[in-house]
């Protein structure tokens, strides 16, 4: 033993070099394994297993929906701009069953009504108001208790004449009950007990039962929302100024002014739009 | 009663529409003088249709104003619309419509008719005797061309000296746009990148072998994406090359839409035309050169020697890696057996004395 020279520690740099070599070796090994197992350049040893697993998880409905969405991009032609979406769990209960495009029945207005869901909550039009309480419209954003704006569509860009571009694209106009100084939301959220309960059991319900449950969500919901004239009128139920719409914008919305030339709103007001179909 | 309501609605809106059109016929808002964007600028203008398909009718005003069609009035393309709110539209836009715009130096209204004629003759054009599913699978104008957006091209060919001479007679705005319009097209065949072209042709279409197989295409054609990606062209493009051939480089002339099957005389990859096609990029193209298989599959039957080489290379690769790994493992096992411990200290990875005494 005594004859052996004592070994010294390596300098730190040697460990660094060693580490680099180990990383390279590991990378090569991983690449080789990938080449052997899954890469379509190699012998594909594990590809059958992978396809088998994928096949099991595959949903034809899901695939078709995705495929259609993709084709829609090609069909649409007018470049669809990306638009932020509210996270699923922060949406009101209505979205458990309805989509952003809930209106489909009446040909003349369905697309127009769906357009309004971008900046209104469903309740803003569909709330069966409690006659004893005063309702107030205000901007609402589940991610922000006191949204400040500037909000979508409240003003024009003076340069282009287009609507101003805003960062807050998710706030919507909603309806509140005024109780003293406080505003009480009328929206049922997905964390309401009834919603949580429903999500738990929804796959087990028979169609009849489901129909019954549906009614529970619709207790304070009118089957038909407000008519156009309720809002697009000088005596609008909306206080456009308080909702921070600019004067230009307010006038255009009150009169639904197609060109700025026609000021007779009565021409646009279609008292019988909702009958028939 | 029902009926009357609808007649009235339609009347109101039609009247409104045409008053609006008349009033604004001389408006400065170039394309949207009829204010279609009043509704269509909204993101959720749309519906789920009877077949469960989501249909979105949004036209983003800021994007539209930057597209090549920004001066074309909506109804030049959407000719079916006559009143407001309009009924569901059942007919597709015909890209061959004439629009109310005269290009510079032209006495005729602009239209895409010429290129559509070329396209219709090509392999992608719908032929009368095509089976229905083939008709449905063929790409239509919109499949490849989403309303093109103006991109600012840094164009070195816009020589300011040349342009200045134009300005002796012409107005600056018009002529510099026209000049750029032309010089921009002198660069590549298309303004898309090589990578975008490859993706456009393969994704959803030529790469979808299940779909392509339905239409009795040749085996070579079925494997075309796979073999292209393995080829030197495909690899260079995948690595970002802007010089290497993409699909359109070889399969079409500058008209881009004239893609034909290989055995047709018109095809750029027909034997007779191959030389000219390769010469677009390669110098000194010989008769031997054009025999090189560009979409080369390396199978045992097709190319036994190359296939053999490929297998041997595989053996060398795996052989080296696994032999080295095997040696390292064997050494480790051996030393552990001998009772020597692992450590990273004092100049060695192994510590202790072997049971065998050294």
């Amino acid at each position: 033993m005594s004859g052996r020279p004592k070994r010294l520690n390596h300098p730190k740099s040697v460990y660094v070099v060693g580490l680099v070599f180990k990383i390279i070796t590991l990378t090569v090994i991983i690449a080789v394994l990938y080449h052997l197992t899954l890469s379509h350049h190699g012998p594909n040893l594990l590809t059958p297993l992978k396809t088998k697993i994928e096949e099991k998880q595959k949903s034809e409905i899901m695939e078709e929906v995705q495929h259609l969405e993709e084709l829609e991009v090609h069909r649409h032609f007018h470049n669809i701009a990306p638009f932020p979406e509210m996270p699923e769990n922060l949406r009101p209960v209505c979205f458990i069953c309805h989509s952003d495009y809930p209106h489909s029945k009446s040909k003349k207005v369905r697309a127009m009504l769906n357009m309004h869901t971008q900046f209104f909550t469903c309740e803003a039009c569909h709330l069966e108001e409690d006659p004893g309480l005063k309702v107030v419209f205000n901007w609402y954003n589940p991610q922000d208790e006191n949204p400040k704006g500037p909000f979508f569509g409240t003003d024009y860009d003076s340069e282009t004449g287009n609507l101003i571009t805003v960062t807050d694209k998710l706030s919507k106009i909603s309806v509140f009950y005024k109780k003293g100084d406080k505003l009480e939301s009328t929206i049922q959220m997905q964390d309401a007990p009834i919603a949580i309960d429903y999500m738990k059991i929804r796959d087990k319900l028979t169609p009849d039962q489901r129909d019954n449950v549906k009614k529970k969500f619709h207790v304070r919901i009118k089957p038909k929302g407000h008519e156009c004239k309720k809002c697009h009128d000088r005596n609008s139920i909306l206080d456009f100024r308080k909702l921070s719409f600019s004067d230009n914008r307010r006038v255009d919305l009150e009169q639904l002014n197609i060109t700025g030339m026609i000021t007779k709103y009565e021409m646009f007001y279609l008292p019988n739009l909702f009958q028939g179909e | 009663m029902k009926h009357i309501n609808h007649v009235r609605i339609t009347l109101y809106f039609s009247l409104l529409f045409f008053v609006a059109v008349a009033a604004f016929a001389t408006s400065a808002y170039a394309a949207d003088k009829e204010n279609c964007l009043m509704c269509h600028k909204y993101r959720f203008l749309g519906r789920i249709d009877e077949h469960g398909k989501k249909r979105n009718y949004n036209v983003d005003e800021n994007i539209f104003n930057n597209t090549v069609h920004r001066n074309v009035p909506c109804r030049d393309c959407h000719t079916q619309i006559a009143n407001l709110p309009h009924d569901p539209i059942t007919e597709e836009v015909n890209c061959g419509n004439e629009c109310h715009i005269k290009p510079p130096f032209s006495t005729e209204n602009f239209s895409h008719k010429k290129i559509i004629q070329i396209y219709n003759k090509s392999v992608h054009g719908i032929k009368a005797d095509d089976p229905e599913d083939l008709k449905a699978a063929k790409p239509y104008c919109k499949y490849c061309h989403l309303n093109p957006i103006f991109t600012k091209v840094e164009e070195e060919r816009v020589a300011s000296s040349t342009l200045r001479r134009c300005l002796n007679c012409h107005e600056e705005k018009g002529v510099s746009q026209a000049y750029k319009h032309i010089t921009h097209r002198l660069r590549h065949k298309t303004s898309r990148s090589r990578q975008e072209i490859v993706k456009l042709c393969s994704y959803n279409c030529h790469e979808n072998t299940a779909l392509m197989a339905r239409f009795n295409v040749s085996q070579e054609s079925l494997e075309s994406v796979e073999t292209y990606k393995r080829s030197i062209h495909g690899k260079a493009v995948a690595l970002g090359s802007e010089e290497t051939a993409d699909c359109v480089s070889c399969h079409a002339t500058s008209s881009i839409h004239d893609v034909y099957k290989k055995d047709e005389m018109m095809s750029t990859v027909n034997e007779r035309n191959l030389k000219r096609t390769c010469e677009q990029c390669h110098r000194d193209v010989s008769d031997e050169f054009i025999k090189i298989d560009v979409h080369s599959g390396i199978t045992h039957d097709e190319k036994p020697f190359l296939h053999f080489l490929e297998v041997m290379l595989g053996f060398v690769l795996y052989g080296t890696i696994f032999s080295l790994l095997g040696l390292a493992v064997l050494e480790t096992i051996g030393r552990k057996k001998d009772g020597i411990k692992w450590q990273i200290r004092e100049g060695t990875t192994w510590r202790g004395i072997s049971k065998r005494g050294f």
Side-chain angles (χ1 to χ4, degrees):
Chain A
M1 256 316 241
S2 56
R4 275 167 191 262
K6 184 165 165 40
R7 279 178 174 272
L8 300 174
N9 244 336
H10 287 307
K12 296 246 160 48
S13 57
V14 169
Y15 292 98
V16 176
V17 174
L19 190 69
V20 170
F21 273 99
K22 285 203 175 95
I23 289 173
I24 293 175
T25 317
L26 204 67
T27 316
V28 171
I29 292 175
I30 291 173
V32 166
L33 287 180
Y34 175 72
H35 188 252
L36 273 177
T37 50
L38 293 175
S39 156
H40 58 264
H41 295 296
N44 286 321
L45 294 182
L46 284 186
T47 310
L49 189 69
K50 186 176 155 222
T51 35
K52 215 170 170 187
I53 294 173
E54 276 172 355
E55 212 113 279
K56 250 190 214 153
Q57 291 168 344
K58 204 161 79 175
S59 150
E60 258 177 45
I61 296 180
M62 193 65 192
E63 256 176 30
E64 186 177 338
V65 169
Q66 281 169 349
H67 185 63
L68 285 179
E69 266 178 15
E70 202 169 287
L71 288 183
E72 173 69 10
V73 172
H74 289 274
R75 194 197 63 79
H76 188 285
F77 187 66
H78 290 287
N79 315 283
I80 299 174
F83 196 83
E85 282 195 49
M86 186 65 80
E88 298 268 336
N89 59 338
L90 288 181
R91 293 170 169 226
V93 281
C94 318
F95 286 93
I96 300 177
C97 308
H98 299 279
S99 71
D100 281 321
Y101 303 88
H103 305 99
S104 62
K105 293 222 176 92
S106 132
K107 258 197 213 165
K108 296 274 181 210
V109 289
R110 56 193 178 192
M112 197 87 97
L113 289 175
N114 290 339
M115 159 194 133
H116 284 76
T117 65
Q118 181 188 338
F119 43 82
F120 279 114
T121 59
C122 310
E123 282 81 355
C125 285
H126 282 283
L127 181 71
E128 185 78 70
E129 287 165 25
D130 185 332
L133 291 169
K134 185 174 158 35
V135 295
V136 179
F137 289 90
N138 210 343
W139 288 95
Y140 161 83
N141 186 340
Q143 290 172 320
D144 180 358
E145 211 166 291
N146 224 337
K148 292 270 181 315
F151 301 108
F152 172 83
T154 45
D155 202 354
Y156 296 111
D157 186 321
S158 55
E159 218 163 86
T160 56
N162 299 342
L163 294 183
I164 44 166
T165 37
V166 296
T167 42
D168 176 2
K169 289 185 175 153
L170 293 177
S171 289
K172 296 183 178 191
I173 301 174
S174 183
V175 55
F176 297 82
Y177 284 130
K178 193 163 169 103
K179 291 196 170 156
D181 277 349
K182 277 214 178 129
L183 294 182
E184 186 189 278
S185 175
T186 58
I187 295 179
Q188 303 176 57
M189 290 302 290
Q190 280 182 49
D191 54 8
I194 168 177
I196 294 174
D197 201 23
Y198 175 72
M199 295 298 271
K200 261 190 296 191
I201 47 123
R202 81 170 149 181
D203 296 337
K204 297 183 201 129
L205 296 176
T206 64
D208 283 356
Q209 287 170 328
R210 210 172 289 156
D211 216 41
N212 248 330
V213 177
K214 175 195 102 189
K215 295 203 176 82
K216 282 196 188 305
F217 287 99
H218 293 146
V219 269
R220 291 185 304 160
I221 298 296
K222 288 187 295 191
K224 289 192 172 186
H226 290 307
E227 291 181 4
C228 318
K229 196 180 175 179
K230 272 274 184 70
C231 299
H232 295 289
D233 185 64
R234 291 229 179 87
N235 303 317
S236 173
I237 54 171
L238 300 175
D239 185 339
F240 286 110
R241 238 169 272 167
K242 238 169 115 191
L243 288 167
S244 73
F245 283 87
S246 71
D247 275 347
N248 275 349
R249 190 75 183 127
R250 173 180 57 85
V251 171
D252 282 356
L253 288 173
E254 281 179 0
Q255 305 176 346
L256 265 196
N257 203 337
I258 263 214
T259 60
M261 300 296 287
I262 298 148
T263 43
K264 281 273 172 288
Y265 177 61
E266 269 62 37
M267 282 187 85
F268 220 107
Y269 170 50
L270 308 162
N272 302 315
L273 196 57
F274 296 119
Q275 294 172 15
E277 281 294 315
Chain B
M1 184 64 194
K2 248 184 182 179
H3 180 66
I4 292 172
N5 280 340
H6 273 127
V7 173
R8 259 169 68 193
I9 292 173
T10 313
L11 269 178
Y12 274 138
F13 273 110
S14 313
L15 186 62
L16 185 71
F17 190 60
F18 288 108
V19 172
V21 174
F24 258 62
T26 53
S27 153
Y29 308 125
D32 193 27
K33 51 189 169 214
E34 295 159 10
N35 207 356
C36 306
L37 286 178
M38 181 170 97
C39 298
H40 283 277
K41 65 175 177 271
Y42 289 98
R43 186 65 174 89
F44 287 101
L45 189 75
R47 66 192 176 99
I48 311 282
D49 76 6
E50 296 72 19
H51 312 291
K53 250 196 223 169
K54 186 163 91 183
R55 301 202 151 231
N56 185 294
Y57 308 126
N58 170 236
V59 177
D60 189 290
E61 44 185 357
N62 291 313
I63 294 183
F64 185 76
N65 288 338
N66 283 313
T67 64
V68 296
H69 294 109
R70 68 197 183 291
N71 291 325
V72 185
C74 305
R75 289 201 302 144
D76 272 16
C77 296
H78 300 279
T79 47
Q80 270 203 330
I81 292 166
N83 48 22
L84 250 178
H86 52 83
D87 285 324
I89 303 300
T90 46
E91 236 172 74
E92 299 264 311
V93 165
N94 179 355
C95 299
N97 282 350
E98 259 180 35
C99 52
H100 293 108
I101 288 188
K102 285 197 178 57
F105 316 116
S106 169
T107 50
E108 279 173 35
N109 282 340
F110 183 82
S111 109
H112 293 297
K113 263 185 214 135
K114 260 192 217 155
I115 199 80
I116 292 176
Q117 276 166 8
I118 296 178
Y119 177 79
N120 281 345
K121 273 190 253 159
S122 81
V123 67
H124 292 133
I126 293 175
K127 311 288 177 321
D129 53 351
D130 283 344
E132 281 309 311
D133 55 344
L134 179 57
K135 277 183 187 162
K138 283 187 169 174
Y140 41 94
C141 308
K142 283 188 301 179
Y143 185 83
C144 303
H145 300 275
L146 288 187
N147 199 3
I149 297 176
F150 264 127
T151 42
K152 251 214 154 75
V153 193
E154 284 309 322
E155 190 54 85
E156 276 154 29
R157 285 171 203 255
V158 182
S160 48
S161 53
T162 313
L163 193 55
R164 228 174 292 132
R165 282 192 57 198
C166 308
L167 297 184
N168 288 338
C169 306
H170 300 282
E171 271 176 45
E172 172 161 7
K173 185 167 175 256
V175 79
S176 46
Q177 257 179 23
Y179 190 54
K180 280 185 187 169
H181 179 86
I182 293 165
T183 50
H184 177 46
R185 283 163 176 76
L186 295 175
R187 294 181 320 156
H188 287 314
K189 273 186 191 164
T190 81
S191 40
R192 289 187 202 238
S193 71
R194 310 278 176 187
Q195 292 75 18
E196 283 169 326
I197 293 282
V198 171
K199 182 164 178 213
L200 183 68
C201 300
S202 51
Y203 195 62
N204 268 336
C205 303
H206 286 275
E207 197 174 42
N208 186 344
T209 42
L211 177 78
M212 296 304 289
R214 287 223 306 270
F215 307 124
N216 295 328
V217 297
S218 65
Q219 185 64 19
E220 197 181 5
S221 170
L222 209 55
E223 292 169 350
S224 55
V225 175
E226 169 76 26
T227 50
Y228 172 75
K229 287 188 172 166
R230 293 183 69 144
S231 76
I232 184 75
H233 295 136
K235 283 183 179 159
V237 167
L239 290 173
S241 165
E242 274 300 322
E243 306 300 323
T244 318
D246 57 39
C247 318
V248 178
S249 316
C250 301
H251 286 277
T253 68
S254 313
S255 333
I256 303 176
H257 298 77
D258 53 348
V259 181
Y260 291 96
K261 285 190 178 164
K262 177 165 116 172
D263 29 331
E264 283 185 52
M265 301 287 252
M266 302 278 284
S267 169
T268 47
V269 292
N270 183 287
E271 240 168 87
R272 293 180 346 145
N273 305 328
L274 258 184
K275 211 164 173 180
R276 210 175 327 136
T277 302
C278 299
E279 271 170 353
Q280 296 177 98
C281 303
H282 296 277
R283 236 182 292 160
D284 303 330
V285 175
S286 65
D287 287 340
E288 286 305 306
F289 184 88
I290 60 171
K291 283 191 194 139
I292 297 175
D293 190 355
V294 179
H295 284 274
S296 171
I298 307 182
T299 58
H300 178 65
D301 297 334
E302 234 179 288
K303 306 209 170 73
F305 183 63
L306 271 185
H307 183 70
F308 173 73
L309 275 191
E310 197 189 25
V311 173
M312 289 323 284
L313 265 178
F315 273 116
V316 172
L317 172 74
Y318 295 132
T320 319
I321 301 275
F322 286 110
S323 311
L324 281 175
L325 266 181
L327 275 179
V329 171
L330 282 180
E331 185 186 2
T332 307
I333 293 173
R335 295 220 184 189
K336 287 254 162 192
K337 252 192 185 157
D338 282 352
I340 301 180
K341 292 198 184 78
W342 242 346
Q343 74 163 26
I344 311 181
R345 218 180 331 126
E346 288 160 21
T348 173
T349 9
W350 297 102
R351 182 168 58 108
I353 293 171
S354 153
K355 284 178 202 152
R356 282 180 277 162
F358 52 88

